[in-house]
């Protein structure tokens, strides 16, 4: 049987204390979740529910997990990436009377999936996922649980892509909200969160500046747009690579240079992939890169940079800094991979993930979606569902109220005008 994080740590008490300090700091800056926690504590909408979570287990995620637990749920959680867990935060979570945490940093594949199985062993009635690994494991290995699962929520672009493919194949057997696609998540988390946290993590890990460097951004979706914008703001020359003509044109009209990756490979100093797809940077690109380049992935799984091909090319490997692995080419060039090619904003030794305020919005959407599943889950058929617009707006209004920001409302006349097809010029 898989042990909890508290059972595996040498000094769980010290870890819990350190982790609690991080969680409390995050909570102070997450007014949306704090507001929802007060509501959930008073009403206990999740009483009797078992929530299984596979997420990046760090301070902001802990606030979400405890918010759901304080609403009466039994929560079991593990990591969705072997290098993104903060063990002290995981230990602090495990100390909550309604939370069991199996998340541990640096585990191998066997232990990673064993922890996933341990969460499933709690027989969740609701799932909260980041990347869809939990949902996939339930469908593939535990289909007998599906009839008792009300529904789920998916946090990230890659997970939603996988779920839509699963849905198209008729294989998804319970309803899942595509939290990633709703405006309060996508417009802030993906653009500002990924942009700021990826660049910050790279800078802290390497102690290098972006000014005067050429930053190559693989992909110009919401995450790529954020990385490009933030890098440009730090005085970098930004080059974008894309496979979609419209996004390539958008990047061009935003003022960035656009070219194929193999051409960009010859010019870049820092490479950041943001696609959620595989083989964005490949052998042919490694062969023409300059000495000392930095290679980082801000997509999802560690498949965007072809590390097998890079390893085959390398004559030697060593670690010049914690979190950086240098691949030495036969001609002496060194290509530096950050965080083993995993999510750079979460998997480097100094990574903290997205800013707290940004994740408050995303996790606020997660929390109200879980509430919606408990209250109205029977109304949703199996498949991928957009987050109801009124829930997304609710989260925005809570945030604005917390910030002391007032905004206009439509008058009756304006609403009538917008809803009518008869008003002309």
């Amino acid at each position: 049987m898989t042990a909890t994080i508290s059972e595996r740590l040498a000094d769980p008490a010290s870890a819990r204390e350190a982790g609690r300090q991080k969680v409390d700091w995050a909570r102070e800056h997450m007014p949306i979740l704090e507001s929802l926690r007060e509501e959930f504590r008073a009403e206990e909408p999740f009483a009797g529910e078992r929530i299984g979570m596979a997420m990046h287990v760090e301070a902001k995620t802990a606030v979400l997990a405890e918010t759901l637990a304080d609403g009466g749920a039994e929560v079991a959680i593990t990591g969705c990436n072997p290098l993104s867990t903060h063990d002290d935060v995981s230990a602090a979570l495990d100390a909550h009377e309604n939370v069991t945490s199996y998340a541990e940093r640096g585990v191998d594949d066997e232990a990673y999936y064993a922890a996933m199985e341990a969460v499933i062993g709690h027989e969740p009635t609701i799932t909260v996922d980041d990347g869809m690994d939990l949902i996939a494991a339930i469908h593939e290995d535990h289909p007998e649980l599906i009839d008792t699962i009300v529904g789920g929520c998916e946090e990230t672009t890659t997970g939603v892509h996988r779920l839509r493919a699963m849905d198209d194949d008729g294989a998804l057997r319970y309803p899942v909200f595509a939290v990633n696609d709703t405006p309060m998540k996508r417009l802030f988390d993906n653009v500002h969160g990924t942009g700021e946290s990826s660049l910050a993590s790279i800078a802290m890990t390497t102690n290098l500046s972006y000014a005067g460097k050429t930053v190559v951004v693989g992909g110009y979706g919401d995450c790529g747009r954020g990385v490009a914008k933030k890098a440009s703001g730090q005085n970098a020359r930004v080059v974008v690579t894309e496979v979609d003509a419209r996004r390539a044109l958008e990047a061009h009209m935003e003022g960035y240079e656009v070219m194929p990756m193999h051409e960009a490979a010859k010019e870049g100093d820092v490479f950041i992939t943001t696609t959620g797809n595989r083989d964005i940077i490949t052998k042919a690109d490694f062969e023409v890169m300059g000495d000392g380049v930095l290679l980082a992935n801000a997509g999802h799984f560690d498949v965007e940079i072809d590390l097998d091909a890079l390893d085959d090319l390398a004559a030697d490997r060593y670690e010049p800094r914690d979190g950086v692995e240098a691949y030495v080419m036969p001609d002496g060039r060194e290509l530096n991979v950050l965080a083993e090619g995993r999510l750079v904003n979460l998997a480097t030794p100094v990574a903290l993930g997205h800013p707290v305020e940004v994740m408050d919005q995303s996790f606020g959407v997660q929390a109200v979606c879980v509430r919606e599943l408990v209250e109205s889950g029977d109304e949703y058929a199996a498949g991928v569902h957009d987050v109801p617009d009124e829930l997304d707006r609710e989260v925005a209004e809570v945030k604005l109220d917390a910030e002391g920001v007032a905004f206009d409302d439509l008058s009756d006349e304006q609403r009538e005008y917008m809803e009518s097809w008869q008003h002309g010029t």
Side-chain angles (χ1 to χ4, degrees), residues 267-285:
E267 303 190 25
D269 301 301
V270 182
F271 294 79
I272 307 172
T273 62
T274 67
T275 70
N277 205 344
R278 62 174 300 153
D279 301 333
I280 307 306
I281 303 177
T282 61
K283 177 181 177 181
D285 306 318

Side-chain angles (χ1 to χ4, degrees), residues 60 180 182-201 221-231 233-234 256 274 298 345 352-362 399:
K60 286 92 70 182
N180 175 80
T182 203
M184 279 298 289
K185 197 278 186 185
R186 178 175 51 83
L187 296 178
F188 302 95
D189 183 307
N190 293 357
V191 176
H192 298 285
T194 301
E196 291 183 21
S197 64
S198 297
L199 293 177
S201 187
D222 292 320
C223 293
R225 184 180 301 109
V227 171
K229 179 178 181 178
K230 305 299 181 179
Q234 296 193 50
Y256 303 118
T274 67
N345 60 328
L352 296 174
H354 288 2
V356 175
E357 301 93 334
V358 168
M359 292 313 301
D360 187 33
Q361 298 179 184
S362 298
K399 176 68 171 181

Side-chain angles (χ1 to χ4, degrees), residues 114-127:
M116 198 80 62
E117 288 294 315
V119 169
I120 296 171
H122 289 251
E123 300 186 357
T125 57
I126 293 171
T127 60

Side-chain angles (χ1 to χ4, degrees), residues 236-250:
R237 170 200 176 203
V238 175
V239 174
V240 170
T241 73
E242 247 301 340
V243 296
D244 184 280
R246 292 162 298 184
R247 288 180 175 176
L249 180 58
E250 181 185 10

